[in-house]
């Protein structure tokens, strides 16, 4: 996809930028000339990314912490004085059978998938208004269907999709566009990291998912990242409140 936006000296925040979709997004933005602030909990993994591109800086921050949004915005403004794009990418989700429902796990999913993007957007609003910037929320294609065992992951991401629509209206007067991307199964650290699955089970699930995808393979980050830049760029002047499913047709299956 052609990138028509000039990202030179623009500023982006990518939460969860030390692995997978977030890392690839940060690296692509930086390759186009943007300054990027990435966040994550593990400091070593953040350094591995910032070491590769001087345009990328990091803030060790857990999205589950209530103050993280304010701290992230302060760090970005402190470094570069503006914010053009916020990518709410960090996510929480793990399989839970109903007999093992754990209030702490459910609360954490809500904190990372709903509360953290809300507080980051609120904190970044004034800067995004100044830049006529954009917000891209990362949801998941599992919101499209019932998902036993992943119900709270899907429900909290569905909430993020709803917030996307509401924020699109609330922020339209400020010239800020708000959209979301709902990826299908993408090769990343999510199954063994976020979902906490053992390697062998992760491999089984990857094979099952690949067999279910009409276009015949699991996704890779390069299937997703160009759409984040396209929705997040200044050349997207008239698209807001939309959720774009990018999943090889996975969610269309019956
Ligand atoms: N991969 C898929 O198949 C897929 C499909 C649909 C949607 N998604 C969504 O895409 C997003 C990115 O996932 P991914 O697949 O790229 O996962 P990933 O490779 O596991 O990367 C997750 C990133 O988020 C960070 N992170 C996780 N929890 C965090 C927290 N509480 N606070 C701050 N940072 C946190 C991780 O770093 P630390 O662990 O060091 O904090 C890491 O940088 C998520 O929102 C996920 O729900 C993924």
């Amino acid at each position: 996809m052609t990138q028509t936006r000039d990202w030179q000296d623009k500023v982006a925040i990518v939460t969860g930028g030390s692995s997978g979709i977030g890392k690839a997004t940060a690296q692509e933005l930086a390759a186009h000339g943007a300054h990027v602030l990435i966040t994550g909990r593990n400091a070593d993994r953040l350094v591995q990314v910032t070491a590769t591109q001087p345009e990328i800086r990091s803030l060790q921050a857990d999205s589950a912490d209530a103050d993280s949004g304010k701290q992230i915005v302060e760090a970005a403004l402190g470094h570069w004085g503006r914010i053009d794009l916020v990518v709410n990418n960090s996510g929480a989700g793990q399989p839970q059978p109903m007999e093992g429902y754990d209030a702490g796990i459910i609360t954490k999913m809500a904190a990372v998938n709903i509360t953290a993007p809300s507080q980051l957007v609120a904190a970044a609003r004034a800067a995004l208004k100044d830049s006529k910037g954009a917000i891209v929320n990362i949801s998941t294609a599992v919101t499209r269907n019932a998902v036993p065992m992943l119900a709270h992951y899907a429900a909290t991401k569905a909430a993020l999709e709803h917030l996307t629509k509401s924020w699109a209206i609330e922020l339209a007067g400020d010239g800020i566009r708000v959209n979301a991307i709902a990826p299908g199964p993408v090769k990343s650290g999510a199954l063994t990291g976020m979902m906490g699955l053992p390697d062998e089970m992760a491999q089984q699930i990857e094979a099952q998912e690949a067999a279910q995808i009409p276009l015949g393979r699991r996704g890779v980050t390069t299937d997703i990242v160009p759409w984040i830049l396209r929705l997040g760029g200044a050349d997207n002047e008239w698209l807001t409140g939309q959720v774009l499913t990018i999943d090889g047709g996975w969610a269309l299956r019956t």
Side-chain angles (χ1 to χ4, degrees):
M1 190 187 308
T2 306
Q3 297 299 334
T4 54
R5 166 115 194 233
D6 178 9
W7 288 98
Q8 196 66 44
D9 293 328
K10 300 296 189 296
V11 174
I13 292 168
V14 181
T15 63
S18 60
S19 174
I21 295 167
K23 175 181 171 182
T25 300
Q27 291 178 326
E28 187 68 6
L29 285 163
H32 282 77
H35 303 291
V36 188
L37 183 72
I38 60 170
T39 70
R41 294 162 301 177
N42 182 300
D44 291 341
R45 296 208 304 170
L46 289 167
V47 169
Q48 283 169 22
V49 180
T50 55
T52 64
Q53 280 164 298
E55 298 81 7
I56 303 177
R57 295 195 185 197
S58 70
L59 179 72
Q60 188 178 12
D62 185 340
S63 296
D65 290 345
D67 288 338
S68 70
K70 196 163 165 279
Q71 291 165 1
I72 293 164
V73 167
E74 282 173 358
L77 291 176
H79 288 316
W80 304 294
R82 61 182 292 143
I83 300 170
D84 298 272
L85 171 64
V86 171
V87 183
N88 280 306
N89 169 73
S90 67
Q94 66 186 78
Q96 285 194 106
M98 190 177 286
E99 57 274 20
Y101 277 176
D102 180 307
I105 292 173
I106 296 168
T107 302
K108 184 178 171 192
M109 280 189 239
V112 175
N113 297 342
I114 302 173
T115 310
S118 305
Q119 295 193 304
L120 180 54
V121 162
R125 179 179 185 171
L128 288 171
K129 181 180 180 184
D130 288 345
S131 67
K132 302 289 174 240
I135 297 162
V136 179
N137 296 322
I138 307 302
S139 180
T140 168
V142 302
T143 58
R144 300 293 175 274
N145 294 298
V147 275
M149 298 283 287
L150 286 176
H152 295 89
Y153 174 59
T156 52
K157 288 290 194 174
L160 182 61
E161 293 181 9
H162 198 285
L163 290 169
T164 300
K165 297 175 190 181
S166 295
W167 293 342
I169 301 299
E170 288 184 53
L171 301 179
D174 292 345
I176 302 166
R177 286 87 56 229
V178 190
N179 292 288
I181 286 178
V186 171
K187 287 175 190 165
S188 74
L191 288 179
T192 51
M194 178 178 78
M195 295 280 176
L197 301 177
D199 280 345
E200 196 179 331
M201 192 183 295
Q203 284 168 20
Q204 279 173 7
I205 289 173
E206 285 181 3
Q208 281 167 7
E209 288 173 341
Q212 293 168 347
I213 294 171
L215 287 179
R217 63 169 173 82
R218 286 172 62 82
V220 290
T221 57
T222 48
D223 292 316
I224 308 297
V225 170
W227 297 99
I228 297 174
L229 269 64
R230 182 67 182 83
L231 293 179
D235 48 348
N236 171 31
E237 292 183 344
W238 214 54
L239 183 76
T240 197
Q242 302 305 304
V243 181
L244 179 62
T245 304
I246 307 173
D247 67 346
W250 187 59
L252 297 173
R253 76 202 191 287
T254 53

